[in-house]
């Protein structure tokens, strides 16, 4: 099988690429990534000399290049992760999100469609999406696969749009597809613009911890390797034209999570109890901040037997250890453009 994974140099993509390269030596894995600020080949250093791994630097917005790539390799499967992924950046630059997440996805769909000439026997298009397409929850309830779409940030709207387009290609051209909508991931190699790695880095450097609003927002956290396992199950055993929600059964209010992180960091850094918590600073809220996300992942559990393999406390502890042991990786990604981004986002 020739399998294309887009966005494989990013956070989740690198875990998916590693899993497929190591577990399926008879597949040729092609990692297509534009290496934006979020893409980093350091994430894959341990597997990049494997015989079944191929890296291709390229932009999903470059249609002539994408068409040629599909004609050359005749991919049997696509796992599409390439996207702009950070909500805050989508608030300042929505058009970048429409371009990559919507138009880029249509480019990949078109290339897959034309190189198969509408005969998709044995082929599969897997679109990796987010729970943010469902909008926001009140105190109760969970997002199920039947929850109506109600995206509320430019990022969420661009992902919702790409989901609709994948389903439209499924109906119109009979393209075999699966979609998964996952909750918040955390783990090794996550870019420190997202809550957990940002705060780990700030605690290491004794910088303030910028909590949006009053911190009374809830997210459902999943260890990234468990997401990669879920993607493996769905790619191989999921039913065509179906959607699967993926979540951690693990809701945390932001402020409680930050306090847990502070106490684990105090222990691991040998600092006095309570010292990291003193860095917490409440800052202006994110515009349109979704109150609560929580996923009902029972379909994936019942139909494909998937369940998260690590508890949040264990996953978080492993994640912190990784960041403490990989300071060089962290230093490399927080230089250059990151400094400018940080100042723009957090200096009010
Ligand atoms: P990320 O930002 O870490 O990585 C995105 C990758 O896509 C990067 O390697 C980047 O270089 C690449 N990319 C961006 N634009 C590209 C382009 N035009 N052409 C080719 N490559 C391009 O993102 P992530 O957090 O790993 O998320 C991966 C996917 O999973 C996204 O589709 C995201 O919407 C989805 N998702 C993320 C989460 C999460 O918690 N991070 C949860 C659910 C779903
Ligand atoms: O739910 C899945 C989504 O999770 C993915 O689709 C996105 O790609 C991913 O970025 C993530 O989106 P969030 O907006 O939930 O993640 P983020 O880490 O940016 O924020 C998590 C929560 O923490 C959110 O309520 C905002 C808050 N926050 C975040 C940052 C960066 C802060 O309070 N302060 C911060 O500095």
């Amino acid at each position: 099988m020739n399998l294309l994974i887009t966005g494989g140099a990013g956070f989740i993509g690198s875990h998916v690429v590693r899993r497929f390269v190591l577990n399926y030596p008879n597949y040729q894995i092609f990692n297509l990534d534009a290496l934006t600020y979020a893409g980093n080949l350091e994430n894959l250093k341990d597997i990049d000399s494997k015989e079944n791994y191929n890296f291709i630097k390229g932009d999903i917005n470059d249609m002539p290049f994408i068409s040629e790539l599909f004609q050359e390799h005749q991919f049997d499967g696509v796992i599409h992760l390439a996207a702009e992924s950070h909500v805050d950046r989508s608030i300042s630059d929505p058009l970048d999100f429409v371009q990559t997440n919507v138009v880029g996805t249509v480019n990949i769909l078109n290339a897959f469609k034309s190189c198969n000439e509408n005969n998709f026997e044995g082929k599969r298009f897997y679109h990796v999406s987010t729970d943010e397409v469902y909008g926001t929850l009140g105190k109760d309830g969970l997002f199920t696969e039947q929850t109506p779409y109600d995206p509320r940030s430019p990022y969420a709207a661009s992902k919702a749009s790409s989901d609709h387009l994948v389903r439209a290609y499924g109906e119109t051209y009979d393209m075999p597809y699966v979609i998964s909508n996952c909750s918040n991931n955390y783990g090794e190699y996550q870019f420190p613009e997202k809550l957990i790695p940002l705060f780990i880095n700030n605690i290491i450097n004794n910088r303030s911890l910028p909590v949006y609003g009053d911190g009374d927002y809830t997210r459902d956290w999943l260890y990234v390797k468990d997401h990669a396992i879920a993607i493996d199950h769905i790619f191989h055993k999921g039913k065509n034209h179906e959607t699967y929600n993926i979540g951690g059964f693990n809701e945390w209010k932001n402020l409680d999570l930050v306090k847990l992180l502070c106490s684990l960091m105090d222990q691991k850094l040998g600092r006095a109890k309570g010292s990291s918590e003193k860095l917490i600073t409440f800052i202006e809220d994110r515009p349109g901040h979704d109150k609560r996300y929580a996923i009902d992942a029972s379909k994936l559990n019942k139909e494909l037997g998937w369940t998260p393999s690590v508890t949040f406390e264990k996953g978080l502890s492993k994640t912190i250890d990784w960041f403490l042991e990989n300071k060089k990786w962290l230093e490399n990604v927080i230089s250059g453009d990151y400094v400018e981004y940080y100042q723009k986002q957090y200096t009010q």
Side-chain angles (χ1 to χ4, degrees):
M1 143 137 36
N2 273 357
L3 173 62
L4 176 70
I5 300 180
T6 70
F11 165 50
I12 300 170
S14 63
H15 289 276
V16 174
V17 166
R18 179 175 296 98
R19 182 172 178 87
F20 276 74
V21 165
L22 296 178
N23 287 8
Y24 301 100
N26 54 331
Y27 295 3
Q28 277 300 320
I29 309 295
F30 295 83
N31 170 15
L32 169 68
D33 199 296
L35 299 182
T36 67
Y37 78 92
N40 185 354
L41 290 178
E42 290 284 303
N43 299 0
L44 290 162
K45 241 174 45 190
D46 55 321
I47 56 113
D48 67 5
S49 58
K50 296 279 177 198
E51 277 185 6
N52 63 336
Y53 174 68
N54 311 269
F55 175 68
I56 300 158
K57 185 171 188 298
D59 189 335
I60 61 170
N61 293 308
D62 180 352
M63 191 54 193
F65 164 77
I66 295 296
S67 297
E68 213 173 286
L69 186 73
F70 274 75
Q71 288 304 334
E72 184 185 346
H73 297 291
Q74 299 290 316
F75 299 114
D76 303 293
V78 176
I79 304 182
H80 178 44
L81 296 110
E84 290 293 338
S85 70
H86 189 37
V87 173
D88 292 328
R89 289 185 194 253
S90 83
I91 293 167
S92 16
D93 296 299
L95 202 52
D96 290 350
F97 285 67
V98 174
Q99 182 60 52
T100 292
N101 299 0
V102 184
V103 180
T105 299
V106 174
N107 284 341
I108 299 287
L109 287 166
N110 279 342
F112 191 58
K113 173 174 164 288
S114 3
C115 86
N116 287 299
E117 287 160 358
N118 295 335
N119 176 6
F120 295 107
E121 188 66 40
K123 308 269 171 119
R124 168 160 278 190
F125 189 98
Y126 185 154
H127 181 58
V128 175
S129 192
T130 171
D131 60 356
E132 299 203 10
V133 299
Y134 298 124
T136 184
L137 291 163
K139 275 200 169 58
D140 306 314
L142 299 170
F143 295 134
T144 72
E145 288 81 2
Q146 280 71 48
T147 303
Y149 274 31
D150 184 21
R152 291 159 33 94
S153 73
Y155 163 69
S158 69
K159 291 297 290 187
S161 175
S162 62
D163 293 10
H164 289 321
L165 283 155
V166 172
R167 289 195 184 98
Y169 274 62
E171 295 306 319
T172 310
Y173 308 112
D174 217 14
M175 179 183 283
Y177 74 86
V178 280
I179 298 181
S180 58
N181 296 86
C182 188
S183 63
N184 287 63
N185 284 216
Y186 69 95
E188 297 86 340
Y189 302 108
Q190 188 168 29
F191 192 81
E193 63 187 354
K194 310 281 165 65
L195 181 74
I196 290 179
L198 177 81
F199 280 30
I200 291 175
N201 181 42
N202 284 13
I203 293 172
I204 294 173
N205 294 297
N206 270 310
R207 293 175 80 161
S208 67
L209 304 176
V211 172
Y212 295 154
D214 55 7
D216 190 23
Y217 293 87
T218 300
R219 297 289 182 268
D220 173 352
W221 293 93
L222 178 69
Y223 186 48
V224 63
K225 288 184 186 169
D226 281 327
H227 189 185
I229 297 171
I231 289 174
D232 186 345
H233 282 355
I234 294 167
F235 181 73
H236 288 106
K237 301 186 289 184
K239 285 195 205 119
N240 278 334
H241 291 216
E242 289 279 332
T243 295
Y244 297 87
N245 279 354
I246 312 173
F249 305 97
N250 177 42
E251 288 183 51
W252 283 81
K253 281 196 173 157
N254 289 345
L255 192 54
D256 294 337
L257 186 159
V258 171
K259 287 183 177 169
L260 170 67
L261 185 65
C262 286
S263 99
L264 286 169
M265 291 291 289
D266 284 346
Q267 286 168 34
K268 289 179 191 283
L269 292 169
R271 292 184 184 165
K273 207 171 163 197
S275 53
S276 299
E277 262 195 39
K278 291 194 190 124
L279 298 170
I280 294 175
T281 314
F282 295 95
I283 66 163
E284 195 179 326
D285 213 346
R286 172 185 278 176
H289 199 166
D290 287 338
K291 193 76 185 165
R292 177 172 163 257
Y293 304 147
I295 279 274
D296 176 354
S298 55
K299 175 177 173 182
L300 180 58
N301 175 257
K302 281 194 200 110
E303 292 186 12
L304 305 184
W306 174 89
T307 198
S309 69
V310 286
T311 62
F312 186 53
E313 286 75 1
K314 194 163 169 213
L316 192 58
S317 174
K318 278 163 71 134
T319 302
I320 297 170
D321 290 343
W322 185 86
F323 276 95
L324 292 176
E325 283 156 18
N326 289 275
K327 289 220 176 96
K328 196 82 210 134
W329 182 92
L330 197 52
E331 276 163 27
N332 288 345
V333 299
I334 60 172
S335 57
D337 289 354
Y338 183 80
V339 177
E340 207 179 301
Y341 163 76
Y342 198 92
Q343 267 165 3
K344 201 167 140 206
Q345 180 65 22
Y346 294 104
T347 313
Q348 292 167 9

